[in-house]
Amino acid sequence: MNDSPRTVDRREALSAIGLAAAAIPALAVAQQPAPQPAKGPPIAVIPGNTAPAELKVFDEASGQFVLPALPYAFDSLEPHIDAKTMEIHHDKHHAAYVAGLNKALGELARIRAAAGDSSLVKYWANQVSFHGAGHINHSLFWQMMAPPGKGGGGPPRGALADAINKAFGSYEQFMAQFKTTATSVEGGGWGWLVVEPWSRQLLLIQGEKQQDLMVTGCLPVLGIDVWEHAYYLKYQNKRADYVNAFPNLINWEFCGKLYDRAVAR
Ligand code: MN3
């Protein structure tokens, strides 16, 4: 928060915080330059901002998406999320989204090279959306949590706290709506706190599957995975109990950084 901010477009800003443009499925599958969309208000990147190392989700050298390591041990979110759930969720589920995304992009490349079945473009594009969103959602989700008492839990601070109060009335009112939003997702999906960048408002939205019901262009600040694989070993059908425990794990410092970067100009 020092020198005059440099003005960049949103795509560059996303890259600067580690969410490479390729992390947006629609951009990743673009085969030719899309018509220039109307530009929203430019936002700024504070000089010196660098991508958090833990958010390296793509390897430039190989051109492949990669599974980032968990930033803490499997058992360090206990008792709220058990170690076995974390191990399976990260090592199996998240890894499968990474593999699925790379596979889908590879198949689309084969089709472009006339070596694949062009009737399957729709199928593979859908796979890019599903697995790409799954990869980015989980890469963020691990960072949005921290061990209780060691970065996890407590109320938000700083500009994000002020924005939550302004948008939702109070932290308590926000949290009540957040919990209801997450608990009531139909089937598998996510509860999200996002910045809608045209209005720069905070919104609480649901994401079904990995990607449905998202508002285009919204920037994630906080999310909770409410697929059964995220909680079933410990909580079985009691999703609300898992959602109620989740605030003990929220890494508000990380969420605050996402917020600051989403609204910076
Ligand atoms: Mn999951």
Side-chain angles (χ1 to χ4, degrees):
M1 320 287 173
N2 35 29
D3 313 357
S4 55
R6 184 169 62 90
T7 300
V8 295
D9 66 23
R10 289 192 52 243
R11 186 169 173 179
E12 188 181 344
L14 280 169
S15 292
I17 64 169
L19 301 172
I24 303 171
L27 293 175
V29 295
Q31 293 173 25
Q32 54 192 18
Q36 272 304 105
K39 282 199 170 177
I43 63 172
V45 170
I46 305 297
N49 265 6
T50 55
E54 59 273 22
L55 267 184
K56 295 263 177 179
V57 302
F58 180 75
D59 178 53
E60 297 278 350
S62 65
Q64 295 286 296
F65 286 88
V66 292
L67 179 66
L70 263 192
Y72 35 73
F74 292 132
D75 64 358
S76 59
L77 302 186
E78 290 189 345
H80 308 293
I81 301 179
D82 61 284
K84 196 65 181 174
T85 293
M86 290 301 296
E87 180 181 351
I88 296 170
H89 199 173
H90 178 269
D91 288 6
K92 304 297 183 189
H93 290 277
H94 188 173
Y97 298 130
V98 176
L101 175 57
N102 287 326
K103 167 79 173 171
L105 291 171
E107 291 297 326
L108 287 167
R110 289 184 64 232
I111 291 169
R112 290 196 296 277
D117 181 350
S118 63
S119 73
L120 294 178
V121 165
K122 179 180 177 183
Y123 172 77
W124 290 116
N126 183 284
Q127 291 285 291
V128 170
S129 294
F130 178 79
H131 291 291
H135 179 31
I136 301 307
N137 292 352
H138 288 84
S139 297
L140 288 167
F141 183 52
W142 312 132
Q143 305 296 329
M144 289 167 170
M145 298 187 290
K150 298 175 185 167
R157 295 175 295 277
L160 175 55
D162 295 341
I164 285 174
N165 289 334
K166 182 179 174 200
F168 302 103
S170 68
Y171 172 74
E172 290 71 26
Q173 286 175 279
F174 154 75
M175 188 50 73
Q177 185 180 339
F178 177 79
K179 288 178 176 176
T180 305
T181 299
T183 304
S184 61
V185 170
E186 288 185 6
W190 296 74
W192 288 112
L193 173 67
V194 298
V195 171
E196 192 291 299
W198 298 76
S199 64
R200 294 185 191 142
Q201 288 185 96
L202 286 171
L203 302 177
L204 277 168
I205 59 177
Q206 294 182 328
E208 290 180 2
K209 300 202 293 185
Q210 300 290 4
Q211 76 277 27
D212 294 349
L213 305 184
M214 297 295 279
V215 178
T216 301
C218 280
L219 299 167
V221 173
L222 172 66
I224 177 172
D225 187 344
V226 293
W227 288 65
E228 287 183 346
H229 66 228
Y231 62 86
Y232 210 84
L233 287 181
K234 178 178 176 69
Y235 295 96
Q236 292 83 50
N237 61 318
K238 302 186 188 81
R239 181 192 284 177
D241 290 355
Y242 159 68
V243 171
N244 277 325
F246 183 72
N248 295 301
L249 303 173
I250 296 173
N251 182 347
W252 284 113
E253 184 182 348
F254 179 77
C255 298
K257 286 179 185 170
L258 292 179
Y259 175 78
D260 291 343
R261 288 162 180 165
V263 298
R265 67 176 81 187

